[in-house]
């Protein structure tokens, strides 16, 4: 909490405080095991047995801690609440050790009283200490300038999702502290590169069945569901919190009740391996930055080959290379034909040969409210012509 507050004053000072705080905590944590050995190991013949009990307790705690916290508590409580609760629990354990230690009884009770006061104070001050802590660490200067935190904050064991005000162009989504898109499917307000979603009209003449790995705020799914060529969209998302986020935005909330859209909470790779008979015309992934941890799970030759086995003849995989030339190169090792559009790359064993007339027809099949999207205004018609110019070149 101290670090979070300092971050709102100065980012560099906050980083310095964080380093000092981490060093202090690491030093104190490193003292615990030697002290436990000193307090808990019997002298004489029982030394080996006493040490073995300590190691057993350490192994049990090291295993149960991440399991209970990671798979149970984080789905029920926020990070802030757990930090406060664990702080209090640690202080209570320290008080119990002080109470059972050798020394004057008065001194031991003074330690216990100090611990009790600290615990009660920490719990009562919890709202002040932990209020908007994550936003302060994450947004820094923007948090101070806007004088508010997240529009939506969802926490669970799969991660932390948040949205912030997008200045009238759709709320900005952050997943795990990284940019994860915007809430916008209107091609005339293209602050989130939503034109890349409409580009599917030039990749496949009739993508009836689509697999989308990764949901985020649902804007890309919204575009695909507006496409009259599409009969079924299967969305595989690992974090159930995104379903809750989609429900907050009326524009995309209808996806949750759309019979053509199937939402699956699972790991994309695992789902593909468990459904060997599934076949799709298009596999779409608006993946995260290629340099992030575990991104290679979605960018490797092995994963692309797994997706390829799930494609129908003429099927296409279309995903975000995030400006990485290595990702494009890898795609070319798996598929005969590769085409790029902005940060995205598409791969297929069939040539990309959709003619301009079909592309125009496909773009006009994107409908909302029973009316083609690209005929709703002069700005939309202008976008249609611009899209056609670019898609012909690609």
């Amino acid at each position: 909490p101290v670090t979070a507050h300092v971050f709102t004053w100065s980012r560099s000072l906050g980083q310095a405080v964080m380093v000092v705080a981490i060093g202090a905590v690491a030093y104190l944590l490193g003292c615990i095991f030697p002290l436990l050995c000193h307090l808990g190991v019997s002298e004489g013949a029982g030394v080996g047995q006493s040490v073995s009990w300590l190691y057993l307790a350490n192994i049990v705690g090291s295993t149960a801690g991440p399991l209970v916290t990671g798979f149970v508590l984080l789905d029920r409580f926020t990070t802030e609440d757990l930090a406060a609760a664990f702080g209090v629990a640690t202080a209570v354990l320290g008080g119990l050790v002080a109470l059972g230690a050798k020394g004057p009884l008065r001194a031991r009770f003074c330690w216990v009283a100090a611990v009790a006061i600290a615990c009660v104070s920490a719990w009562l001050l919890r709202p002040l200490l932990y209020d908007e802590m994550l936003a302060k660490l994450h947004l820094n200067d923007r948090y101070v300038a806007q004088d508010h935190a997240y529009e939506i904050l969802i926490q669970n064991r799969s991660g932390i999702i948040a949205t912030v005000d997008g200045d009238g162009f759709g709320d900005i989504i952050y997943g795990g502290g990284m940019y994860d898109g915007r809430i916008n499917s209107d091609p005339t307000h293209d602050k989130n590169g939503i034109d890349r979603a409409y580009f599917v009209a030039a990749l496949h003449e009739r993508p009836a069945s689509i697999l989308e790995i990764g949901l985020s705020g649902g804007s890309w799914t919204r575009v695909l569901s507006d496409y009259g060529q599409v009969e079924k969209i299967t969305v595989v998302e690992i974090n159930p919190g995104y379903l809750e986020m989609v429900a907050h935005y009326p524009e995309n909330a209808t996806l949750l009740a759309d019979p053509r859209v199937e939402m699956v909470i699972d790991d994309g790779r695992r789902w593909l391996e468990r459904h060997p008979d599934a076949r799709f015309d298009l596999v779409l992934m608006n993946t995260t930055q290629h340099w992030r941890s575990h991104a290679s799970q979605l960018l490797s030759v092995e994963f692309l080959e797994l997706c390829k086995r799930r494609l129908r003849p003429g099927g296409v995989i279309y995903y975000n290379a995030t400006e990485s030339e290595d990702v494009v190169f890898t795609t070319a090792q798996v598929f005969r034909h590769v085409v790029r559009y902005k940060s995205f790359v598409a791969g297929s064993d069939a040539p990309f040969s959709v003619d301009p007339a079909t592309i125009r027809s496909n773009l006009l099949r994107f409908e909302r409210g029973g009316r083609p999207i690209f005929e709703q205004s002069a700005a939309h018609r202008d976008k249609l012509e611009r899209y056609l110019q670019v898609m012909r070149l690609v």
Side-chain angles (χ1 to χ4, degrees):
V2 172
T3 301
H5 284 288
V6 175
F7 257 82
T8 63
W9 306 336
S10 166
R11 184 179 181 86
S12 57
L13 180 59
Q15 291 172 334
V17 172
M18 182 179 288
V19 169
V20 173
I22 290 174
V25 171
Y27 174 80
L28 294 172
L29 285 173
C31 296
I32 291 177
F33 194 75
L35 288 173
L36 286 175
C37 290
H38 176 72
L39 294 172
V41 174
S42 304
E43 297 181 4
V47 170
Q49 186 179 34
S50 299
V51 171
S52 67
W53 280 113
L54 274 174
Y55 270 94
L56 175 62
N58 187 45
I59 293 170
V60 170
S62 299
T63 305
L67 288 175
V68 174
T69 304
F71 288 93
V72 179
L73 297 180
L74 283 173
D75 267 344
R76 291 165 172 79
F77 305 99
T78 67
T79 304
E80 296 91 335
D81 287 342
L82 288 177
F86 289 153
V88 169
T90 302
V92 168
L93 285 174
L96 293 175
V97 171
L99 186 62
K102 297 178 180 179
L105 185 62
R106 182 177 178 180
R108 283 183 281 166
F109 274 107
C110 285
W111 276 110
V112 172
V115 168
I117 293 171
C119 290
V120 172
S121 300
W123 194 255
L124 292 177
L125 293 173
R126 179 169 51 96
L128 177 63
L129 291 171
Y130 292 95
D131 183 46
E132 300 182 349
M133 180 181 71
L134 293 173
K136 292 170 183 175
L137 287 169
H138 180 204
L139 301 176
N140 296 283
D141 297 337
R142 178 172 182 169
Y143 174 86
V144 177
Q146 292 187 338
D147 196 30
H148 69 79
Y150 300 123
E151 301 291 326
I152 300 171
L153 177 63
I154 299 170
Q155 302 186 52
N156 56 38
R157 71 186 186 204
S158 299
I160 298 172
I161 311 167
T163 63
V164 299
D165 180 27
D167 301 324
F169 293 101
D171 285 357
I172 301 171
I173 306 168
Y174 291 94
M178 287 291 297
Y179 174 80
D180 203 17
R182 281 180 183 253
I183 304 295
N184 172 59
S185 59
D186 187 346
T188 64
H189 296 138
D190 195 4
K191 287 287 186 177
N192 57 336
I194 201 64
D195 59 312
R196 297 170 298 173
Y198 289 101
F199 188 71
V200 300
L203 298 176
H204 196 287
E205 288 192 7
R206 190 177 184 278
S209 179
I210 296 178
L211 171 65
E212 183 181 6
I213 299 178
L215 174 65
S216 188
S219 294
W220 282 61
T221 314
R222 172 77 274 172
V223 170
L224 297 176
S225 69
D226 290 336
Y227 193 14
Q229 302 276 41
V230 177
E231 298 174 1
K232 177 68 179 297
I233 305 173
T234 303
V235 182
V236 181
E237 170 58 55
I238 198 170
N239 189 339
Y242 281 106
L243 296 181
E244 184 179 343
M245 173 162 292
V246 168
H248 277 85
Y249 294 94
E251 175 185 349
N252 298 337
T254 55
L255 294 169
L256 302 177
D258 191 328
R260 297 177 305 142
V261 180
E262 179 186 5
M263 300 286 187
V264 180
I265 301 302
D266 201 351
D267 172 74
R269 192 187 196 106
R270 181 171 58 193
W271 188 90
L272 284 168
E273 291 176 340
R274 290 179 175 179
H275 294 78
D277 298 328
R279 293 294 182 272
F280 304 94
D281 298 307
L282 176 71
V283 174
L284 172 68
M285 300 186 297
N286 193 1
T287 46
T288 187
Q289 297 290 340
H290 63 275
W291 43 261
R292 291 191 72 187
S293 299
H294 310 299
S296 59
Q297 295 284 353
L298 299 176
L299 303 176
S300 65
V301 167
E302 293 78 11
F303 183 72
L304 293 181
E305 289 176 341
L306 175 60
C307 291
K308 183 178 180 178
R309 293 193 295 270
R310 302 295 181 267
L311 290 174
R312 292 172 177 168
V316 177
I317 184 170
Y318 181 50
Y319 68 113
N320 200 343
T322 62
E323 309 297 341
S324 170
E325 297 294 331
D326 291 338
V327 173
V328 179
F329 177 83
T330 304
T331 309
Q333 307 309 300
V334 179
F335 295 94
R336 296 177 184 175
H337 302 275
V338 174
V339 67
R340 302 174 67 176
Y341 180 63
K342 293 189 174 180
S343 64
F344 267 63
V345 59
S348 177
D349 280 345
F352 294 99
S353 57
V354 183
D355 61 86
T358 303
I359 294 175
R360 175 184 286 274
S361 175
N362 286 347
L363 286 171
L364 291 174
R365 295 291 302 275
F366 287 92
E367 299 179 355
R368 191 172 300 178
R371 185 182 177 189
I373 290 175
F374 290 99
E375 291 184 352
Q376 293 187 358
S377 70
H380 286 88
R381 288 190 289 273
D382 181 63
K383 275 290 182 181
L384 172 65
E385 298 305 321
R386 293 190 181 190
Y387 283 4
L388 286 170
Q389 291 175 9
V390 173
M391 292 179 185
R392 288 192 190 105
L393 294 174
V394 176

